[in-house]
Amino acid sequence: MEQSSHSLGFLSAPPKAAPVAKEKVNSLYKSLRLQVFLGIFIGYAGFYLIRNNVSIVSAILKEHDILNTVGIGIVANAVLFSYGLSKFFMAMLSDRANARYFMPLGLALSAIMNLLIAFVPAISASVGVFATVMFLNGWFQGMGWPPSGRVLVHWFSTTERGWMTSIWNCAHNVGGAGVGLISAWALSHFSKSDADWTPAFWAPAIVALVVALIALILIRDRPEAVGLPPIEEYRNDPAKVEASDEEKGKWSEMLFKHVLTDRVIVLLAVTNVFVYTLRYGVLSWIPVYLTEEVQGVDIKDGIIGFAIYELAGIIGTLLCGLVSDKIFKGWRSGAGLLFLAGVGVAIFIYWMLPATAPLWIFYLLIAIIGGLIYGPVMLIGLQAIDLSPRNVAGTAAGFTGLFGYLLGATLASTGVGILIHSFGWNVTYGVLLIVVVLSLILMWTVGKDERRMMEARARERAGETER
């Protein structure tokens, strides 16, 4: 291997520990599985408290001429662009690093960036400087998903990983709703004027620092590091894809074989572009759309809409995991197609609602869109870690995230910002519906490959049974 994990210093993955007594394995496994899961759930929710708070205060920035829609898009896009890069490159480190230290460190550094934005006025005085600091924030944000994927792969086996991943994925929504609620509270209690947006940055950042400490206390890297057997052995549940032997090949060779040239992983990455365009194309502009297009709506109503979108995603994510297991029998793409079609219908109705419609109807449509879009967001990450060797699973998931954030989030922030500024909301939502159609085509293409893989595995199992 070209780069040893030992070169990561204190972040290096811990070695195998001496095996614990057999009579202690079961009880220790059960307690630690719950502990580490809570660690990555709470820890990852913390990242969403401080990821892209520009969207929360976009209406304030625009109303008081601090930034126009294009400037808001550029700053918001900076963090998403760097997060996409970091999610991939940090994943290559994370696959060989200690998840217990890797995740809390990234969260703490991201919180520090948000505190600087809030308390150093010169940063927000320039679009370029603001975007640069948000770029750094996004880079540290990339230290959240990869260690979470590492923990899921090492502590939960194939037949339970889908449900556990869908539960963990709700951390997105807990954190996303949390930032909306914390920001609304902080703005109400600590803003020095109507133009003071900084409490929406510093208040969530303080909470995130506390969360980083909690994650550090709870997370453990992998079972073998605490003297437990591998999860496949413990649950007698073989992985779909065998772990790649790092000692027999260079890291670059494994990356090329199992990620960059793997047809399914590449297709998932391209599909993620359009899924993330939809996710952020609606979410990032909820406060601006409601305050501009709906009568009697103020900035706090818009922020509540932002929180509703994220909270609804919890129900949608869990439902999608259940549907993919029970109705589609593990064919994840089938559930993805169903949910994406629902997103298209809901966006169309949301767009067509008259400005005089009651606010609760807009909230209902926002909840439906948020509930449906997070299903495909979860499924793509799950498929990436499920259909790749576990010692490169984080990198595979990071690769799909690279496309989602680098291209999809770019289209949703800067691209949508330009559309709104230049052509208005009608053209913008028309383009989003085209994106829905493209995402359905790509998901169907992925689904055909996934179906063939499932059928091949079924034939292999049938052959083994006959023998």
Side-chain angles (χ1 to χ4, degrees), residues 378-390:
M378 180 274 295
L379 285 174
I380 290 175
L382 169 59
Q383 287 171 298
I385 66 173
D386 213 27
L387 299 173
S388 58
R390 69 175 184 172

Side-chain angles (χ1 to χ4, degrees), residues 12 22 67 172 180 207 221 270 310 326 347 374 450 455:
S12 299
K22 289 185 177 180
L67 292 175
H172 291 76
V207 176
D221 184 63
V270 177
E310 295 285 2
K326 301 301 183 181
I347 287 177
Y374 274 100
E450 184 185 9
E455 291 171 351

